Amino acid sequence: MTQSTASAPGKTILFGEHAVVFGKPAIAAAVDRRAIVTVNSKKSNINSNITFQSRSLDLKAELDLDKGHIKLIRGQSGILNYVMETLFKKHDGSPIDIQLEMKMPVGAGLGSSAAVTVATIAALDDFHNRKIEISQIAKVAHKVELTVQGAASPLDTAVSAHGGLIFLSKNFEIVPLKSDLKDYIVIGYTSNRGNTGEMVAGVKKRRDLHPEIMDPIINSVENITLKAKDMLDVETLNTEKMEILGELMNINQGLLDAMGVNILELSKMVYIARDAGAIGSKITGAGGGGSIIALCPGKTKDVLNALKIIENAIQADFSKKGIIIH
Ligand code: MEV
């Protein structure tokens, strides 16, 4: 191909973040905010082999695969580390232009790095006329995250590649869940970016220091996730199930706080959402910044408005689709 475009969605974690890094199950949903990556045979005549550009992120760079060097022309390099690592794994080094259109906030806990990585792999596979194999792409994307971040579960990359609402089992099996949470979930995000690597390292440190305290917390999160799975594996959520889910979210929030990933802004948003009518609210993702989710049947507008007074918020539009080849 001379041009290939692929996109992948962001995600929101409903239950089990951090515990999943210790091999526990988790539940997450793809959110229809996408990273769209286009790979073109090289037209420009700049010396370096690969050029990268993203108008939405105000980012421009030249990537030298031989030297493993990123020459930043404009913007911040964070996401480029994922692109570079992906190129090492999936590109033959021939001259190409890569364009990225980001339709989601970066560093807001919506899995932007996973979405960029998954979309880049899919675009490169299509560009090189390789078969698009979703599970394979999810696996390679997880390896990229591991290399760049030092520690990562396969959760973000699996949700981004497969789409939908999924339960990731203890042995990393992907089980699609039936429920359609449309219209019930609000995501509030702080302007304060969380650093996933640091947050994961912090929880690990506390677990190594106090295993007798942290292991029961991590095991409780596992039990919450398993109970939530039963609630969510139905076509229609009745009021009773919805209320149990809300309560499970609130308990999970308490345990995330105990793990040490809460901060003032997130705490404020969690309680503002509950005060505005959410039946459950919790941090989603790594914490330390980033986002919260709130379960608010019949109250989404109230919760959105209340959160927007102090930070940003969106109604979560879930995506049944993961990777799309455009
Ligand atoms: C980050 O979105 C979720 C964490 O559980 C880390 C991971 O699963 O890799 C905090």
Side-chain angles (χ1 to χ4, degrees):
M1 304 247 176
T2 53
Q3 178 178 318
S4 293
T5 299
S7 72
K11 63 94 212 331
T12 188
I13 300 176
L14 275 76
F15 295 97
E17 49 274 270
H18 285 292
V20 70
V21 179
F22 297 91
K24 302 297 185 188
I27 298 173
V31 173
D32 209 9
R33 301 259 168 153
R34 288 180 169 262
I36 306 164
V37 174
T38 301
V39 176
N40 262 299
S41 299
K42 185 106 164 154
K43 288 196 207 89
S44 56
N45 54 6
I46 313 168
N47 287 336
S48 79
N49 277 342
I50 295 161
T51 49
F52 179 95
Q53 189 155 355
S54 174
R55 286 220 179 92
S56 31
L57 297 182
D58 196 23
L59 179 61
K60 197 171 177 182
E62 289 166 17
L63 309 176
D64 186 333
L65 269 195
D66 290 337
K67 294 192 184 126
H69 182 247
I70 298 172
K71 184 175 167 202
L72 201 57
I73 298 168
R74 201 169 53 240
Q76 287 185 336
S77 68
I79 212 91
L80 289 171
N81 296 320
Y82 295 88
V83 175
M84 191 69 165
E85 196 51 41
T86 301
L87 286 167
F88 284 143
K89 291 191 164 37
K90 296 299 275 188
H91 187 53
D92 58 7
S94 59
I96 49 170
D97 286 321
I98 304 173
Q99 308 250 353
L100 165 67
E101 194 185 344
M102 268 319 248
K103 298 209 160 171
M104 75 181 86
V106 173
L110 295 180
S112 51
S113 60
V116 170
T117 307
V118 167
T120 308
I121 297 172
L124 283 169
D125 276 351
D126 189 53
F127 183 79
H128 290 294
N129 299 314
R130 292 187 289 252
K131 198 170 162 227
I132 301 296
E133 292 193 53
I134 292 182
S135 306
Q136 208 45 38
I137 294 176
K139 274 193 187 131
V140 177
H142 176 221
K143 283 194 184 135
V144 170
E145 287 219 313
L146 272 177
T147 310
V148 177
Q149 288 170 201
S153 77
L155 182 63
D156 290 13
T157 41
V159 183
S160 185
H162 290 269
L165 174 65
I166 67 163
F167 171 82
L168 185 75
S169 79
K170 255 183 158 171
N171 34 6
F172 298 148
E173 252 173 3
I174 290 156
V175 183
L177 299 179
K178 291 197 195 93
S179 181
D180 178 2
L181 284 169
K182 206 169 178 298
D183 301 335
Y184 300 140
I185 301 252
V186 164
I187 301 174
Y189 55 99
T190 68
S191 44
N192 191 340
R193 286 184 183 192
N195 182 317
T196 303
E198 276 172 26
M199 290 297 120
V200 169
V203 176
K204 184 176 179 308
K205 193 175 130 206
R206 282 182 281 282
R207 198 250 156 203
D208 289 347
L209 277 175
H210 319 288
E212 72 289 6
I213 297 168
M214 294 299 284
D215 283 348
I217 292 174
I218 292 165
N219 291 338
S220 284
V221 173
E222 175 178 19
N223 289 329
I224 289 171
T225 304
L226 293 173
K227 200 158 196 174
K229 175 183 180 267
D230 290 343
M231 301 298 122
L232 286 167
D233 207 10
V234 292
E235 304 279 346
T236 318
L237 274 166
N238 61 25
T239 313
E240 192 196 338
K241 283 197 161 64
M242 194 82 84
E243 269 164 14
I244 294 174
L245 273 176
E247 190 159 62
L248 292 173
M249 273 187 177
N250 293 341
I251 303 171
N252 197 163
Q253 169 62 17
L255 298 173
L256 283 164
D257 205 343
M259 286 181 191
V261 301
N262 201 2
I263 58 166
L264 181 63
E265 286 96 328
L266 293 174
S267 223
K268 271 190 196 160
M269 284 203 296
V270 161
Y271 283 101
I272 284 172
R274 289 183 202 170
D275 203 45
I279 55 173
S281 58
K282 63 178 274 294
I283 291 168
T284 178
S291 310
I292 66 134
I293 47 167
L295 180 64
C296 28
K299 294 276 183 184
T300 44
K301 283 214 173 79
D302 297 340
V303 173
L304 267 175
N305 290 339
L307 287 173
K308 276 183 183 166
I309 294 172
I310 57 155
E311 293 281 359
N312 280 317
I314 52 169
Q315 184 170 333
D317 229 345
F318 294 114
S319 174
K320 290 215 158 63
K321 287 210 158 152
I323 294 165
I324 297 176
I325 304 293
H326 295 259

